[in-house]
Amino acid sequence: MLDMYGLWENEWLHHVFEEREKWAIPYSRNIFCADLKSAQLSENISTSLRKYLKSDLDVLQFFKHFGRVVNDWRYKEIEANYDMSQSMPRLMGDVILLKHARDVYTPKIFQLFQQEYENCLNVIVNQRTKSRSLFEYKVSVYGQVREHTVVFNSTEDSIVCNCMMFQSVGILCSHALKVLDYRNIKVVPTRYILKRWTRDARV
């Protein structure tokens, strides 16, 4: 854009471009952020604080009311833990991989994982190349041109996709799940189950 409109001499735009790794999503895909955008996070916090806080409060009253907000969050977490212990999320089908994921993930994370699994059903393997223990797969959604590259290391049983979803969100993407299925791997490899997303996260 700077080239197209000849804006390199605009100091502010030049500075924004120099700092692009801090705000442009493609540059931050390898940074774990639990799929939370800063705007979403601040909006949720603001909504919670507005229930209790008013602009005319002094500092002491502010912290007293802020304590109530924190207590609310903790109570909701306790409620969620209780609900999780009382029921299991519904499976979309009798699938070993999903049963395994449901047993280890929290309900919210399992929903995200199950959506990725559902998406993987429409992913096709276009090409496979091998170099020693490395297997490279070119995959795409059926009917779409855009391809993703998934590399599976048979020595380490590791898998990496260039969409970087695992690195930024903490669950495997539909492309990686397709390759695992292609290789007849029917459970989520332990290294790809982050403890923070499991039912035992607080233990």
Side-chain angles (χ1 to χ4, degrees):
M1 187 175 83
L2 295 177
D3 285 331
M4 187 183 300
Y5 297 104
L7 295 171
W8 281 104
E9 291 182 15
N10 184 302
E11 191 176 324
W12 181 79
L13 285 175
H14 185 73
H15 175 71
V16 169
F17 179 77
E18 290 296 318
E19 299 289 322
R20 63 191 179 280
E21 292 184 14
K22 295 180 181 177
W23 58 265
I25 292 174
Y27 291 99
S28 62
R29 293 302 293 172
N30 63 333
I31 298 170
F32 182 78
C33 64
D35 208 28
L36 284 175
K37 308 293 182 286
S38 57
Q40 286 177 307
L41 188 60
S42 63
E43 186 179 320
N44 290 340
I45 293 172
S46 298
T47 304
S48 299
L49 291 177
R50 265 193 230 109
K51 287 183 188 175
Y52 297 104
L53 304 182
K54 297 176 183 174
S55 57
D56 59 347
L57 295 179
D58 60 34
V59 175
L60 189 60
Q61 289 174 311
F62 170 83
F63 282 109
K64 187 186 291 185
H65 289 288
F66 184 73
R68 289 183 189 173
V69 174
V70 173
N71 287 337
D72 269 3
W73 288 341
R74 287 180 178 154
Y75 182 74
K76 285 176 182 173
E77 187 179 358
I78 291 167
E79 274 187 326
N81 284 336
Y82 176 77
D83 292 343
M84 181 172 64
S85 68
Q86 297 303 305
S87 62
M88 296 288 271
R90 182 178 295 176
L91 293 171
M92 62 175 280
D94 187 19
V95 181
I96 296 169
L97 185 79
L98 291 180
K99 286 179 178 177
H100 174 241
R102 183 181 67 174
D103 289 342
V104 294
Y105 284 134
T106 63
K108 292 257 185 197
I109 296 303
F110 174 72
Q111 285 174 3
L112 291 175
F113 181 86
Q114 184 163 240
Q115 183 61 56
E116 286 302 311
Y117 180 81
E118 188 176 348
N119 294 343
C120 100
L121 300 178
N122 290 322
V123 174
I124 56 174
V125 176
N126 298 320
Q127 183 185 340
R128 186 191 86 152
T129 55
K130 181 184 176 185
S131 175
R132 296 183 181 175
S133 62
L134 295 179
F135 295 82
E136 183 178 285
Y137 298 85
K138 298 287 186 184
V139 302
S140 63
V141 175
Y142 180 79
Q144 294 184 14
V145 177
R146 183 179 181 188
E147 282 191 327
H148 287 280
T149 303
V150 181
V151 177
F152 181 83
N153 186 323
S154 59
T155 304
E156 301 174 359
D157 278 341
S158 64
I159 193 163
V160 178
C161 179
N162 67 348
C163 78
M164 308 292 277
M165 182 173 178
F166 180 77
Q167 287 79 356
S168 63
V169 180
I171 62 171
L172 290 172
C173 62
S174 58
H175 320 114
L177 291 176
K178 181 64 180 186
V179 171
L180 291 180
D181 184 60
Y182 187 84
R183 297 188 61 84
N184 292 320
I185 296 172
K186 299 300 182 186
V187 295
V188 183
T190 308
R191 65 163 64 194
Y192 298 110
I193 300 173
L194 299 187
K195 185 174 181 182
R196 71 184 306 137
W197 296 149
T198 66
R199 293 169 170 267
D200 301 325
R202 299 188 65 177
V203 176

